[in-house]
Amino acid sequence: EAGVAQSPRYKIIEKRQSVAFWCNPISGHATLYWYQQILGQGPKLLIQFQNNGVVDDSQLPKDRFSAERLKGVDSTLKIQPAKLEDSAVYLCASSLDYRTGYGYTFGSGTRLTVV
Amino acid sequence: AQTVTQSQPEMSVQEAETVTLSCTYDTSESDYYLFWYKQPPSRQMILVIRQEAYKQQNATENRFSVNFQKAAKSFSLKISDSQLGDAAMYFCAYPGGATNKLIFGTGTLLAVQP
C-alpha cells in the first residue's frame, strides 16, 4: 500500500512570500489532516477534512493560511504571507474515517524555513 | 481541556537495556485510544503501539509494551532490549474531541548508547 505522499520535502522562503504544500493521502482514506510541528514541540492540528468538507479548522490562522481538498482526494495547504514563526514541519496524515479514532498514517512532512 | 503531558524531554539508554518513557493525559471520555509514535530524523510519524482504554490488558508489540493505568490516566512505554535504531523522538498521543484529532505530548528524545 502506498503511503501518504507530500511535497516538497524542504522549502526556504523569505517572510511575506507565499508557499504551498501538497498532500496525496492513502487511497480510500476519507479523512485528511494537516499538522504543524514547531521545533521541540508535538504536532498541532491545523485543519481536518472529511472527504472534501472541513470538520475542524479551529486552530488554522485563517488570515494567512488556507487549505482545500477538491474532489476529496489530494489537498493543498497555502500560507500567504509567511511569517518567521511559520517555520516548522508541516505533516499531512490520513485515516479511513475519523470516527474510528485510529488508523492514522503520516507523510514525511515538509520542512519550511522562513527567513 | 484534553491534554497530553510527557515530563521527560530527553532520555538515554544503553544498547540491550530497558527504558521507560512516561506519559499522562487528561480526558473525561470513558472509551478512547492511546498511541505511542516514533519520529526519526526522516520526520515520518511511525505508530509504535496502540492501547484501547476499555481493554484491561496492556498492549505489547515485540520489544515494546505499555503500562496503562486508566484511573491514574498514565500511559508509559517500555522498550526492552534497546537497539541503536530505537533512537528517535517519541510522542504520546490521544485522539480527542468530537473529531478525534490527535493531541500530542511534547515528546521525549531517546538516545541509545552503544
Side-chain angles (χ1 to χ4, degrees):
Chain A
E1 169 181 81
V4 175
Q6 286 190 249
S7 67
R9 190 117 168 91
Y10 301 91
K11 191 74 177 179
I12 301 174
I13 62 172
E14 295 183 350
K15 59 184 179 184
R16 290 187 289 273
Q17 285 187 325
S18 63
V19 65
F21 313 126
W22 175 82
C23 173
N24 191 24
I26 289 176
S27 177
H29 278 197
T31 310
L32 184 146
Y33 315 79
W34 283 102
Y35 286 84
Q36 181 192 56
Q37 185 178 16
I38 293 171
L39 185 64
Q41 300 181 17
K44 179 188 77 174
L45 181 72
L46 290 175
I47 190 167
Q48 177 177 340
F49 293 93
Q50 178 72 4
N51 297 309
N52 61 351
V54 175
V55 295
D56 189 341
D57 63 357
S58 57
Q59 298 192 81
L60 185 75
K62 297 180 185 64
D63 58 334
R64 298 183 302 105
F65 286 66
S66 65
E68 60 183 11
R69 191 185 184 197
L70 299 175
K71 301 179 182 178
V73 182
D74 56 350
S75 175
T76 302
L77 176 70
K78 297 179 181 177
I79 308 175
Q80 183 179 10
K83 293 185 175 181
L84 295 176
E85 59 261 35
D86 298 332
S87 293
V89 172
Y90 291 84
L91 292 166
C92 180
S94 68
S95 67
L96 279 170
D97 188 320
Y98 72 87
R99 285 168 286 236
T100 65
Y102 69 93
Y104 291 77
T105 302
F106 284 84
S108 295
T110 296
R111 181 181 296 280
L112 173 67
T113 303
V114 182
V115 297
Chain B
Q2 293 156 331
T3 58
V4 177
T5 302
Q6 294 179 251
S7 58
Q8 306 153 316
E10 296 181 16
M11 293 282 285
S12 182
V13 64
Q14 291 290 129
E15 199 174 2
E17 297 294 310
T18 296
V19 65
T20 299
L21 309 183
S22 301
C23 172
T24 59
Y25 60 94
D26 187 20
T27 180
S28 57
E29 298 176 14
S30 59
D31 190 17
Y32 48 89
Y33 294 95
L34 291 161
F35 306 111
W36 277 99
Y37 280 93
K38 171 184 178 181
Q39 188 179 41
S42 67
R43 301 198 300 260
Q44 186 169 16
M45 286 284 188
I46 302 166
L47 181 65
V48 174
I49 198 164
R50 173 177 64 221
Q51 174 77 42
E52 296 172 83
Y54 71 89
K55 289 187 176 179
Q56 300 283 351
Q57 189 172 7
N58 289 324
T60 299
E61 287 286 342
N62 301 313
R63 298 182 295 107
F64 299 89
S65 61
V66 301
N67 182 4
F68 173 51
Q69 304 287 331
K70 189 174 183 179
K73 295 181 180 175
S74 170
F75 180 59
S76 60
L77 174 70
K78 185 171 83 171
I79 306 174
S80 304
D81 186 26
S82 296
Q83 300 175 1
L84 295 177
D86 294 334
M89 197 74 168
Y90 286 82
F91 290 96
C92 177
Y94 153 75
T99 60
N100 278 328
K101 64 184 179 185
L102 277 179
I103 300 167
F104 287 87
T106 51
T108 297
L109 182 61
L110 178 67
V112 181
Q113 308 299 331

